[in-house]
Amino acid sequence: MTRHGMRAGRGTRAPDAQASDAQAPGTESRDTGARDTGARDTEDFGNAGFDVEEVLALVNDGKGSARPAGGPASGRHGTRTEGASPTHGPRTGEATATDPTADRHGHRHHATAWPEARAIAARAARSRAARRAPVSVTLGDALGLVLAGPLTALTDLPSFDTSAMDGWAVAGPGPWQVRDEGVLAGSAAPEPLADGEAVRIATGARIPPDTTAVLRSEHGRTDAQGRLHPTRDMSHGQDIRPRGQECRSGDQLLAVGAVVTPAVLGLAAAAGYDTLSVVPRPRAEVLVLGDELLTEGRPHDGLIRDALGPMLPPWLRALGAEVVAVRRIGDDEKALHRAVSRSSADLILTTGGTASGPVDHVHPVLRRIGAELLVDGVQVRPGHPMLLARTKDEQHLVGLPGNPLAAVSGLLTLAEPLLRTLSARPAPERYALPLRDEVQGHPQDTRLVPVVLRGDHVVPLHYNGPAMLRGVAAADALAVVPPGGARAGQRTELLDLPWATAGIAACFT
């Protein structure tokens, strides 16, 4: 069965599935600051759920007009103008030099194509992953981790001949004289049977020596003399599970790299294990930046609720990480420097501050500590100001944009491949499904659009602007829309959301 075939019928959860010409609310009023000519050109993009910065970038890129060197972006979430000094730019061969921009200091850098950015993130931690020492954990703590050594049977399975059914153990041809006592699972070794004898037996009980077969309860009857008769033909060895039927002691049951699922836990327990050798979870620390963020109550007086603080830690756990801390720092460069410098996590995740506004401190802090920028901007909407840096030999930092859906884009583009490498998890199988509706594209960049799966196709959702979470909250996946957009019926690659495939309880472990 195909992957999408298994998901058919999940069809009641898309009240905001986008029609081809429907307009996401909130785009009209935000376009009023554009020049008249720009407003005419941006009118159509409001239908695709872009906010004003995205729309203006689309128009400028579509016309081929270059931004002036050093021209600042608009605030924290400005268009791709964040930057770093040339000594900390992307390494040769790791970035796609197709989108030159400049930060407020005039330093130029290049945004990386979306597929290449994911590849860079996946291989960035390979040397670190190879050096991570396995840990031994109890079966109760192993769910979702990856085996660091092969799972080898510690015993034969089953370890003795057992009955596969409730019924009678019989010896020789019938009819049989039935013994008074029975054989239960877990009981001591039973006495051998003589020809013409039978004994009541329970599923999982040890087979008496010299047993010919097990006669199921529904396939036998007793006569007035208490003799047992079969009601259908029997074969030798019927309904007996012989010792070692599933495996012999020393057999390899699973190879290194297998993900520990509930079924693996059951197999390990059956094979005699109390603990497993696994790859440890990578440790992640979340740094929430922004003076404008509230941790409780309703937005007021120019302050907004922090959506990323509650969202990112469970999402990181779903990606296999152990979240060791969530710190709220605000727009304070010194505090950010202290937090980054003192962190011992494998992955530091920052929110906001990756552009080139007056309070965007991520790039200055990375320059100050001598970090190596591996990805500095990605050709993806939303989320283009994301970045990936190597802060220490055994530590990386992923800078997420501050807009919520843009942060999700950065999480799946850069953090997920890196955590997957550190966890030694296999890459998910790539798959694509046709779109039900046309999706507006960016002229040069990939777009990630929330969608729901409906049988053998996907339906794009409304509310897919960079600052919106309403669409992704109802989504099963993000569609990878290529530059230029995708027409109705076109097959589009999908990025699954963890809970859409594993279920809420299964993925947050």
mmCIF file of all heavy atoms in Angstrom, residues 163-180:
data_model
loop_
_atom_site.group_PDB
_atom_site.id
_atom_site.type_symbol
_atom_site.label_atom_id
_atom_site.label_comp_id
_atom_site.label_asym_id
_atom_site.label_seq_id
_atom_site.Cartn_x
_atom_site.Cartn_y
_atom_site.Cartn_z
ATOM 1 N N SER A 163 2.349 -24.716 23.116
ATOM 2 C CA SER A 163 1.076 -24.875 22.429
ATOM 3 C C SER A 163 0.653 -23.545 21.826
ATOM 4 O O SER A 163 0.697 -22.502 22.494
ATOM 5 C CB SER A 163 -0.004 -25.364 23.394
ATOM 6 O OG SER A 163 -1.261 -25.425 22.744
ATOM 7 N N ALA A 164 0.246 -23.577 20.562
ATOM 8 C CA ALA A 164 -0.216 -22.366 19.894
ATOM 9 C C ALA A 164 -1.697 -22.122 20.134
ATOM 10 O O ALA A 164 -2.199 -21.048 19.778
ATOM 11 C CB ALA A 164 0.052 -22.458 18.397
ATOM 12 N N MET A 165 -2.405 -23.066 20.736
ATOM 13 C CA MET A 165 -3.858 -22.957 20.916
ATOM 14 C C MET A 165 -4.276 -23.600 22.242
ATOM 15 O O MET A 165 -3.564 -24.433 22.797
ATOM 16 C CB MET A 165 -4.605 -23.668 19.772
ATOM 17 C CG MET A 165 -4.460 -23.006 18.427
ATOM 18 S SD MET A 165 -5.411 -21.467 18.367
ATOM 19 C CE MET A 165 -4.863 -20.830 16.779
ATOM 20 N N ASP A 166 -5.453 -23.188 22.737
ATOM 21 C CA ASP A 166 -6.105 -23.932 23.809
ATOM 22 C C ASP A 166 -6.686 -25.218 23.217
ATOM 23 O O ASP A 166 -7.258 -25.200 22.110
ATOM 24 C CB ASP A 166 -7.244 -23.114 24.426
ATOM 25 C CG ASP A 166 -6.751 -21.899 25.184
ATOM 26 O OD1 ASP A 166 -5.594 -21.913 25.653
ATOM 27 O OD2 ASP A 166 -7.523 -20.926 25.301
ATOM 28 N N GLY A 167 -6.532 -26.316 23.909
ATOM 29 C CA GLY A 167 -7.083 -27.584 23.406
ATOM 30 C C GLY A 167 -6.527 -28.755 24.178
ATOM 31 O O GLY A 167 -6.424 -28.713 25.419
ATOM 32 N N TRP A 168 -6.135 -29.812 23.442
ATOM 33 C CA TRP A 168 -5.554 -31.000 24.041
ATOM 34 C C TRP A 168 -4.236 -31.324 23.353
ATOM 35 O O TRP A 168 -4.135 -31.276 22.116
ATOM 36 C CB TRP A 168 -6.490 -32.209 23.874
ATOM 37 C CG TRP A 168 -7.808 -32.094 24.572
ATOM 38 C CD1 TRP A 168 -8.114 -32.485 25.844
ATOM 39 C CD2 TRP A 168 -9.022 -31.598 23.998
ATOM 40 N NE1 TRP A 168 -9.429 -32.261 26.124
ATOM 41 C CE2 TRP A 168 -10.026 -31.712 25.005
ATOM 42 C CE3 TRP A 168 -9.366 -31.069 22.749
ATOM 43 C CZ2 TRP A 168 -11.343 -31.316 24.781
ATOM 44 C CZ3 TRP A 168 -10.667 -30.675 22.530
ATOM 45 C CH2 TRP A 168 -11.638 -30.792 23.540
ATOM 46 N N ALA A 169 -3.222 -31.671 24.147
ATOM 47 C CA ALA A 169 -2.018 -32.291 23.597
ATOM 48 C C ALA A 169 -2.306 -33.777 23.466
ATOM 49 O O ALA A 169 -2.776 -34.411 24.421
ATOM 50 C CB ALA A 169 -0.826 -32.043 24.510
ATOM 51 N N VAL A 170 -2.077 -34.334 22.278
ATOM 52 C CA VAL A 170 -2.436 -35.733 22.031
ATOM 53 C C VAL A 170 -1.213 -36.484 21.526
ATOM 54 O O VAL A 170 -0.293 -35.905 20.941
ATOM 55 C CB VAL A 170 -3.586 -35.851 21.008
ATOM 56 C CG1 VAL A 170 -4.821 -35.131 21.505
ATOM 57 C CG2 VAL A 170 -3.162 -35.303 19.643
ATOM 58 N N ALA A 171 -1.206 -37.803 21.766
ATOM 59 C CA ALA A 171 -0.121 -38.658 21.307
ATOM 60 C C ALA A 171 -0.713 -39.805 20.499
ATOM 61 O O ALA A 171 -1.624 -40.505 20.977
ATOM 62 C CB ALA A 171 0.673 -39.195 22.491
ATOM 63 N N GLY A 172 -0.219 -40.003 19.270
ATOM 64 C CA GLY A 172 -0.702 -41.076 18.423
ATOM 65 C C GLY A 172 -2.071 -40.772 17.852
ATOM 66 O O GLY A 172 -2.640 -39.693 18.060
ATOM 67 N N PRO A 173 -2.631 -41.744 17.138
ATOM 68 C CA PRO A 173 -3.966 -41.540 16.547
ATOM 69 C C PRO A 173 -5.064 -41.649 17.607
ATOM 70 O O PRO A 173 -4.899 -42.298 18.632
ATOM 71 C CB PRO A 173 -4.064 -42.678 15.535
ATOM 72 C CG PRO A 173 -3.162 -43.743 16.068
ATOM 73 C CD PRO A 173 -2.035 -43.054 16.776
ATOM 74 N N GLY A 174 -6.192 -40.976 17.363
ATOM 75 C CA GLY A 174 -7.323 -41.008 18.283
ATOM 76 C C GLY A 174 -8.164 -42.256 18.074
ATOM 77 O O GLY A 174 -7.939 -43.022 17.122
ATOM 78 N N PRO A 175 -9.170 -42.455 18.913
ATOM 79 C CA PRO A 175 -9.502 -41.572 20.042
ATOM 80 C C PRO A 175 -8.473 -41.696 21.177
ATOM 81 O O PRO A 175 -7.699 -42.642 21.208
ATOM 82 C CB PRO A 175 -10.879 -42.084 20.462
ATOM 83 C CG PRO A 175 -10.900 -43.516 20.060
ATOM 84 C CD PRO A 175 -10.081 -43.615 18.807
ATOM 85 N N TRP A 176 -8.526 -40.713 22.119
ATOM 86 C CA TRP A 176 -7.548 -40.636 23.196
ATOM 87 C C TRP A 176 -8.249 -40.652 24.564
ATOM 88 O O TRP A 176 -9.355 -40.123 24.718
ATOM 89 C CB TRP A 176 -6.731 -39.352 23.085
ATOM 90 C CG TRP A 176 -6.037 -39.184 21.763
ATOM 91 C CD1 TRP A 176 -4.852 -39.715 21.396
ATOM 92 C CD2 TRP A 176 -6.506 -38.416 20.651
ATOM 93 N NE1 TRP A 176 -4.516 -39.347 20.116
ATOM 94 C CE2 TRP A 176 -5.516 -38.538 19.617
ATOM 95 C CE3 TRP A 176 -7.644 -37.667 20.392
ATOM 96 C CZ2 TRP A 176 -5.647 -37.932 18.383
ATOM 97 C CZ3 TRP A 176 -7.774 -37.056 19.171
ATOM 98 C CH2 TRP A 176 -6.788 -37.177 18.171
ATOM 99 N N GLN A 177 -7.570 -41.220 25.492
ATOM 100 C CA GLN A 177 -8.026 -41.174 26.881
ATOM 101 C C GLN A 177 -7.454 -39.911 27.510
ATOM 102 O O GLN A 177 -6.232 -39.681 27.473
ATOM 103 C CB GLN A 177 -7.549 -42.409 27.650
ATOM 104 C CG GLN A 177 -8.211 -42.598 29.008
ATOM 105 C CD GLN A 177 -9.709 -42.891 28.881
ATOM 106 O OE1 GLN A 177 -10.119 -43.675 28.017
ATOM 107 N NE2 GLN A 177 -10.499 -42.255 29.728
ATOM 108 N N VAL A 178 -8.315 -39.112 28.096
ATOM 109 C CA VAL A 178 -7.885 -37.798 28.607
ATOM 110 C C VAL A 178 -7.469 -37.915 30.063
ATOM 111 O O VAL A 178 -8.222 -38.435 30.898
ATOM 112 C CB VAL A 178 -9.005 -36.751 28.448
ATOM 113 C CG1 VAL A 178 -8.532 -35.394 28.960
ATOM 114 C CG2 VAL A 178 -9.432 -36.644 26.994
ATOM 115 N N ARG A 179 -6.294 -37.402 30.368
ATOM 116 C CA ARG A 179 -5.822 -37.346 31.751
ATOM 117 C C ARG A 179 -6.666 -36.357 32.545
ATOM 118 O O ARG A 179 -7.240 -35.415 31.992
ATOM 119 C CB ARG A 179 -4.362 -36.905 31.804
ATOM 120 C CG ARG A 179 -3.356 -37.910 31.302
ATOM 121 C CD ARG A 179 -1.963 -37.297 31.452
ATOM 122 N NE ARG A 179 -0.921 -38.179 30.964
ATOM 123 C CZ ARG A 179 0.370 -37.844 30.915
ATOM 124 N NH1 ARG A 179 0.742 -36.630 31.312
ATOM 125 N NH2 ARG A 179 1.257 -38.703 30.461
ATOM 126 N N ASP A 180 -6.669 -36.555 33.838
ATOM 127 C CA ASP A 180 -7.450 -35.664 34.702
ATOM 128 C C ASP A 180 -6.805 -34.282 34.821
ATOM 129 O O ASP A 180 -7.499 -33.262 34.817
ATOM 130 C CB ASP A 180 -7.608 -36.288 36.095
ATOM 131 C CG ASP A 180 -8.482 -37.526 36.088
ATOM 132 O OD1 ASP A 180 -9.305 -37.647 35.158
ATOM 133 O OD2 ASP A 180 -8.325 -38.370 36.986
#
